[in-house]
Amino acid sequence: MAPSKKKHAARKACVIPGGFTVLSLQFSLDSAARHFLYVKEHRVRAEKSSYRPLDRTLFVLNIPPYCSESVVKDLFSQFGSVVSVELRDHPGSSSESGPKLSKVFRPADKERFKVGYIVFESSSSLAAAKSHPHDDPLVVSTEERPVKTGVQKWIQQYTKSFIHPDKLQLTVDSFMQDYDKRKEEEAERQRQEVEKQQEDEEGWVKVTRGHKGAKARPHSEAANKRTLQREMRKKRRKELMNFYTWQHRNTQKEHIAELRKKFEEDKQRIALMRAQRKFKPY
């Protein structure tokens, strides 16, 4: 007997306003409660990143806290091979541009509903996920891949929090090697900037002509520091000159006062000599 039209229509995908497809999620086979995910193709043309190709990336909303990256990868692997899964607290650009830190060097993630970016190996897998019927739930915990929750999950997280010293030492050594390499590259870049912007004693900067089409370099931290030091030197020189000017002016005033005092003494001496002089012609 052919299936009825009503049953056939129920097997279609449920698309809501905004272009999102609704996927139902069931924690286990014997669970009556269902959770709903909202998925759509990731199309952000402003983000030119190879980590999220436009034709193979699925954007997922409302991912529950008990679904880790490995669980999400297992759930969507039924539609095709999954290359990578990225879970974030909020939608945003890819975080692959900066150095990727180990879990040892970053705080633990908070348990909250998240958004996800799932990259498939083929674009057909993306279409299969978008056309999946909403009445066919995705099962999170099965006998082949059980997912622990509650106290069992806390015990598992507590056990995994202890890291073997040898493994921790390797992680620290690798992190420090990358850190030293970045510091050396930064020091080399600053040295090249200093060589290109050599200043003479009067503060003139030698500007060299770059290649054709090169854009002007923004003010670096080293250039701003040199400018501040130059201003401080000018200020100290000006203060020193003002001090010398005041000292010279004060010396001149003292010298003039001493000359006036000596002139008055000479006048009194001459007047006394004139008074004591007597005219005796014979």
Side-chain angles (χ1 to χ4, degrees):
M1 177 181 288
S4 63
K5 294 183 179 180
K6 184 177 180 181
K7 185 177 180 181
H8 181 70
R11 300 290 297 177
K12 291 184 179 180
C14 178
V15 181
I16 62 175
F20 286 93
T21 302
V22 180
L23 299 181
S24 60
L25 194 67
Q26 191 173 348
F27 183 77
S28 60
L29 293 175
D30 56 350
S31 178
R34 290 190 180 183
H35 184 81
F36 295 99
L37 303 177
Y38 305 97
V39 302
K40 69 181 298 185
E41 184 178 356
H42 176 64
R43 287 187 174 275
V44 180
R45 299 190 181 276
E47 182 183 349
K48 298 180 180 180
S49 174
S50 60
Y51 299 99
R52 297 176 185 172
L54 297 178
D55 57 340
R56 294 187 290 113
T57 304
L58 186 69
F59 178 57
V60 188
L61 290 176
N62 205 30
I63 298 177
Y66 53 79
C67 288
S68 60
E69 292 185 357
S70 59
V71 173
V72 174
K73 185 175 182 179
D74 292 337
L75 283 175
F76 286 87
S77 294
Q78 59 180 308
F79 304 115
S81 179
V82 177
V83 177
S84 64
V85 175
E86 181 184 359
L87 300 183
R88 297 174 61 91
D89 295 335
H90 305 283
S93 60
S94 177
S95 59
E96 296 291 339
S97 57
K100 189 174 181 180
L101 299 180
S102 173
K103 293 182 179 180
V104 182
F105 300 101
R106 65 170 183 257
D109 296 332
K110 296 181 179 179
E111 298 293 338
R112 64 179 68 178
F113 287 84
K114 296 187 177 183
V115 300
Y117 297 89
I118 303 173
V119 180
F120 291 99
E121 188 175 351
S122 175
S123 58
S124 60
S125 303
L126 177 64
K130 292 171 58 180
S131 61
H132 186 75
H134 71 282
D135 58 344
D136 186 8
L138 306 177
V139 182
V140 176
S141 180
T142 60
E143 295 181 357
E144 293 79 11
R145 44 179 176 81
V147 177
K148 295 182 180 181
T149 58
V151 178
Q152 295 181 353
K153 181 181 179 181
W154 294 341
I155 294 175
Q156 185 180 17
Q157 291 178 348
Y158 178 76
T159 306
K160 288 184 178 180
S161 63
F162 294 97
I163 305 176
H164 194 272
D166 296 338
K167 185 178 180 180
L168 179 61
Q169 186 65 42
L170 291 176
T171 306
V172 173
D173 293 341
S174 177
F175 177 81
M176 292 306 299
Q177 289 177 1
D178 296 339
Y179 176 79
D180 294 338
K181 184 178 180 181
R182 292 196 303 270
K183 295 297 288 184
E184 291 177 359
E185 292 176 354
E186 180 67 18
E188 180 66 21
R189 184 180 63 81
Q190 292 182 358
R191 187 185 63 81
Q192 292 178 0
E193 289 183 357
V194 170
E195 291 180 354
K196 290 181 180 180
Q197 298 180 356
Q198 289 292 339
E199 299 178 358
D200 56 12
E201 295 180 356
E202 297 182 357
W204 292 94
V205 180
K206 181 181 179 181
V207 180
T208 57
R209 183 178 181 181
H211 61 277
K212 187 177 181 180
K215 296 182 179 180
R217 296 188 302 274
H219 291 287
S220 61
E221 185 177 356
N224 294 335
K225 187 176 180 181
R226 290 195 302 271
T227 304
L228 182 61
Q229 292 177 353
R230 185 168 63 252
E231 293 296 332
M232 293 297 295
R233 287 197 300 268
K234 289 182 179 179
K235 185 177 180 180
R236 287 196 298 267
R237 191 182 303 115
K238 186 176 181 180
E239 292 176 353
L240 191 62
M241 290 177 62
N242 292 337
F243 172 77
Y244 287 153
T245 303
W246 172 84
Q247 188 180 24
H248 181 66
R249 190 176 303 163
N250 193 25
T251 305
Q252 286 183 342
K253 288 182 179 180
E254 293 177 355
H255 183 62
I256 292 174
E258 185 178 357
L259 290 178
R260 287 178 177 176
K261 182 179 179 182
K262 190 175 182 180
F263 177 71
E264 293 295 334
E265 292 177 354
D266 292 341
K267 283 175 62 177
Q268 293 178 3
R269 190 182 304 110
I270 293 174
L272 182 62
M273 291 175 62
R274 286 180 178 176
Q276 293 178 355
R277 185 178 61 180
K278 293 180 180 180
F279 181 71
K280 295 179 178 181
Y282 304 105

